[in-house]
Amino acid sequence: MAFIRYNSSLKLINFLHNEMERRFHRIILSSKPYLVNSEPTNRCNYHCLFCPTGKGSVRNGGLADIQIYEKILKEIGQYLYLITIHGWGEPMMHKRLSEIIRLAHTRNVFTAITTNGYLMKRELSRELILSGLDYLVVSIDGASEETYSSYRVGGQFETVLNNIREMIALKKELKSSTPFVEWQFLVFRQNEHEMRAAEQLAKEIGADNIIFMPAYTEDEQFRSSDNKFHLPRFTPLSKPSDCRHLWSTLTFHWDGSVVPCCYDHTGRFSLGSLAHENFEHIWNNRHFSESRQIIKSGSPIHSQHLTCAQCVNLINV
């Protein structure tokens, strides 16, 4: 959707250049990222069982300063196809969420949000629609209150469903084709029997799509009986060269700390800070180049402190 709706000759040239540099595993890049993963907040109103934030994040909680978004969009917005606005928290807890979306659209960037949907009341839904939000993913892991709440601790199944219904009704009322509303269903052993019921329910409430996703678990009793819904236990990689994040994507936490990818929820080692540095000072700095080198050829002893070294070292565990 982003590629079709928000393309330009400059973006396309940068995209092709970036893909070439990634395929040849260039360490110092002249291309810019074409994706941004941003975290408006790492606070959440839920306590999901295996989520770092739900269990009590090791990072201090906070809300992103909108100036960080203004800064990065000004610096590289012309190259971006997509910005995600969620991260390790509930994005709808950020009071200026619709303003962030509008900022992205001034730079012609596709916007996407993943939410638990609980706070998506009528007025907020109206704001999101009018802001031009392109893609809305609502995480609902079940088709009944009992099953849903077994993982989404603190949530209410019927409240979320009603909020989606209202969002879809408002889209029609406002004659808007956006946002595209997707139901995301993380598959656990406790809810896999309700997948067909969820499909039917998604159709009934008017969702544009439903997607069934593998779920990260820390308890074998939650692990799906279907292997296709299993995630790697320790790292998202099967081999170092699988990783593309350090080439294609800029990922930052609510305080502006740049991290290798969204899997780095701790932020123990930042690659730079958008709050204090310009993009150009970060993108090819020593930490970024060493991290790309790790993905290219493994992790030397002097780079063991970097997040990417720890990720690569866990591949065969």
Side-chain angles (χ1 to χ4, degrees):
M1 289 183 186
F3 193 83
I4 294 170
R5 196 178 300 171
Y6 291 92
N7 216 338
S8 72
S9 57
L10 182 61
K11 289 183 183 184
L12 183 58
I13 291 168
N14 178 71
F15 168 77
L16 295 173
H17 186 189
N18 184 275
E19 284 292 293
M20 181 274 291
E21 291 191 309
R22 181 184 67 82
R23 290 177 186 275
F24 285 97
H25 284 101
R26 297 281 169 78
I27 303 306
I28 303 298
L29 308 184
S30 55
S31 64
K32 307 296 190 292
Y34 53 86
L35 306 171
V36 164
N37 289 331
S38 74
E39 180 184 77
T41 182
N42 65 336
R43 295 172 179 168
C44 192
N45 54 321
Y46 278 21
H47 298 282
C48 302
L49 295 182
F50 308 126
C51 173
T53 301
K55 295 187 298 180
S57 178
V58 296
R59 284 190 287 131
N60 292 330
L63 300 170
D65 190 326
I66 198 166
Q67 290 180 344
I68 293 176
Y69 283 93
E70 291 173 341
K71 181 179 180 179
I72 196 61
L73 286 165
K74 181 178 180 181
E75 291 185 289
I76 62 170
Q78 60 187 327
Y79 303 104
L80 297 178
Y81 281 103
L82 165 70
I83 182 170
T84 63
I85 314 169
H86 35 261
W88 292 100
E90 173 46 54
M92 295 194 182
M93 296 183 76
H94 199 294
K95 301 302 182 183
R96 302 180 73 179
L97 182 60
S98 59
E99 191 174 342
I100 294 171
I101 295 165
R102 286 190 177 94
L103 274 173
H105 287 151
T106 64
R107 300 288 175 175
N108 204 34
V109 181
F110 187 95
T111 53
I113 288 175
T114 295
T115 175
N116 59 43
Y118 186 85
L119 300 175
M120 197 173 65
K121 306 303 181 186
R122 181 179 177 85
E123 190 52 42
L124 179 53
S125 290
R126 178 183 289 273
E127 285 183 20
L128 293 174
I129 294 168
L130 294 177
S131 73
L133 175 65
D134 294 291
Y135 206 95
L136 177 70
V137 178
V138 187
S139 296
I140 313 175
D141 316 315
S144 66
E145 186 72 56
E146 181 180 4
T147 303
Y148 173 80
S149 59
S150 67
Y151 177 69
R152 299 280 170 183
V153 179
Q156 294 179 0
F157 179 71
E158 286 298 332
T159 297
V160 175
L161 280 190
N162 288 334
N163 288 345
I164 297 176
R165 289 189 184 100
E166 186 132 54
M167 162 65 82
I168 292 168
L170 275 169
K171 278 177 58 179
K172 293 177 181 177
E173 180 182 314
L174 296 170
K175 296 180 172 58
S176 176
S177 60
T178 58
F180 184 93
V181 179
E182 182 170 84
W183 177 330
Q184 178 181 269
F185 188 116
L186 299 181
V187 180
F188 297 99
R189 189 168 302 177
Q190 282 78 357
N191 64 17
E192 57 190 6
H193 66 286
E194 291 187 347
M195 291 169 65
R196 284 191 178 181
E199 282 184 304
Q200 183 59 38
L201 193 51
K203 184 177 180 180
E204 289 174 5
I205 66 175
D208 295 299
N209 189 42
I210 183 169
I211 184 170
F212 298 97
M213 300 283 290
Y216 170 76
T217 66
E218 296 171 354
D219 184 340
E220 284 297 327
Q221 294 183 11
F222 275 80
R223 200 165 170 83
S224 171
S225 61
D226 189 336
N227 288 337
K228 74 179 180 182
F229 293 115
H230 292 179
L231 283 176
R233 299 304 301 275
F234 303 106
T235 170
L237 304 178
S238 59
K239 57 183 180 179
S241 60
D242 282 349
C243 182
R244 64 191 305 142
H245 296 287
L246 294 168
W247 285 264
S248 67
T249 310
L250 184 73
T251 302
F252 65 89
H253 289 159
W254 69 268
D255 59 357
S257 296
V258 175
V259 292
C261 69
C262 60
Y263 287 93
D264 184 7
H265 59 84
T266 64
R268 282 194 298 264
F269 189 91
S270 172
L271 301 180
S273 173
L274 294 174
H276 304 107
E277 303 170 81
N278 291 331
F279 165 81
E280 291 292 350
H281 295 154
I282 298 173
W283 189 233
N284 285 308
N285 67 17
R286 180 171 59 87
H287 301 318
F288 248 114
S289 59
E290 283 188 12
S291 296
R292 293 186 186 115
Q293 184 65 48
I294 288 167
I295 301 303
K296 177 180 180 180
S297 55
S299 51
I301 297 299
H302 71 274
S303 298
Q304 289 300 307
H305 63 293
L306 293 172
T307 304
C308 295
Q310 298 169 28
C311 186
V312 167
N313 290 342
L314 287 169
I315 290 175
N316 296 317
V317 173

